[in-house]
Amino acid sequence: MDHHSTSKTPVTLLGLGDMGTALARAYLAAGHPLTVWNRTPGKAEALVREGARTADTAAGAVSVATGPVLLCLLDDASVDEVLAGAELNGKDLVNLTTGTPARARERARRSGERGARLLDGGIMAVPPMIGRPETGGYVFYSGDRELFERHREMLEVPAGAMFVGGDPGHAALYDVALLSAMTGMFAGIAHAFALVNEEKDLDRPRFARLLTDWLGAMAGSGLGMAAQLESGDYTEGVVSNLAMMTAGNRTLLDTAADQSVDPRLLTPYMELMRQRVAQGHGDEGLAGTVGLLGTG
Ligand code: NDP
């Protein structure tokens, strides 16, 4: 491929793990000139055959970058390590590595001191969804809005692009909040399978479909919780009150005991529900448990 024959923004990509490789393929497919670097060199070989250029070092890749530099590495520590050795003056950095909001803010500040601009991203997609808009994958972005607007077309190549504010920590915060909710959901799924898994003649695929549909139907309760947190009235529109749910928790725990299942994935949240009822809020929904989690 002739890199000078396209008007598409040149992209530099640091990190060719599962996600980085998917991003690289999306940019090549869209005709962007692409320079890649990976700590372990072999991972770039196939992409070079597909049209990418490769750099020997991360610092070398950054120094010749004329467009945005994307980072998709393992974690915050790897990003800081890679950026430490590079000359960043005048560069536009887009970090797509999952990290903490605090580290994103700190990195944006330090990048600014070194003459670079930073957009922080949180990818809400798995690699097979990259470059396939119909799957609904997207990336949260926050930080430098001008940088986001300038490169928006390029950013939208692998997945949808959603800007969530000028605070560079907000993309990471939204990302981690959604991943945390997902972790709780996985815990619930594990407990549900533990309850039924030893049963004779269990139709696992059928049970899985029922479980998936039920979780989908219940997930919308987050919207009601948001309305209650906005208004401050946690009894607004309640159809399943906390006193009833807390009584029902006894049934959940008794069933776990009968099925010889450890209830430890459920009990921490049940304890919060119980606390809120004990505070005299049995007529509320679940919104009151949010405040009980604050440690500040
Ligand atoms: P992988 O484990 O497949 O790849 C990790 C990448 O980081 C590799 O390129 C690895 O290089 C590099 N790396 C690790 N440590 C260092 C270091 N100290 N210095 C330089 N490079 C380093 O992870 P993914 O590609 O799947 O994920 C990358 C990011 O994308 C993560 O932050 C992840 O949370 C996020 N993400 C991933 C999703 C997924 O489903 N895969 C979904 C959404 C976000 P090497 O090859 O040399 O080991």
Side-chain angles (χ1 to χ4, degrees), residues 14-21 23 37-41 43 71-79 81-82 96-99 122-128 175 179:
L14 309 181
L16 296 175
D18 293 334
M19 184 55 85
T21 300
L23 296 172
W37 169 84
N38 193 65
R39 180 179 62 176
T40 307
K43 289 192 185 168
L71 297 104
C72 190
L73 302 169
L74 187 62
D75 54 12
D76 279 317
S78 49
V79 174
E81 191 183 319
V82 163
L96 297 173
T97 308
T98 306
I123 302 176
M124 304 313 301
V126 292
D175 182 0
L179 294 178

Side-chain angles (χ1 to χ4, degrees), residues 116-226:
R117 301 191 300 173
L118 181 110
L119 192 60
D120 197 69
I123 302 176
M124 304 313 301
V126 292
M129 294 164 75
I130 297 299
R132 295 178 59 211
E134 72 278 10
T135 61
Y138 66 92
V139 181
F140 287 126
Y141 289 101
S142 67
D144 195 310
R145 180 182 273 278
E146 203 280 325
L147 200 160
F148 176 79
E149 296 298 347
R150 174 175 303 197
H151 296 302
R152 190 175 191 141
E153 207 178 317
M154 181 277 301
L155 295 173
E156 285 176 339
V157 166
M162 191 185 302
F163 190 77
V164 291
D167 181 333
H170 274 182
L173 185 58
Y174 282 40
D175 182 0
V176 169
L178 266 56
L179 294 178
S180 300
M182 179 185 77
T183 302
M185 182 188 74
F186 288 160
I189 291 173
H191 182 88
F193 270 111
L195 286 178
V196 299
N197 201 38
E198 300 302 323
E199 293 300 303
K200 282 195 181 68
D201 303 328
L202 171 66
D203 182 342
R204 286 185 186 77
R206 178 162 182 264
F207 179 75
R209 281 193 298 278
L210 295 169
L211 181 57
T212 304
D213 289 350
W214 177 246
L215 290 176
M218 291 300 102
S221 67
L223 300 174
M225 188 181 280

Side-chain angles (χ1 to χ4, degrees), residues 12 87 113 162 164 259:
T12 299
E87 172 52 61
E113 287 169 1
M162 191 185 302
V164 291
Q259 296 292 98

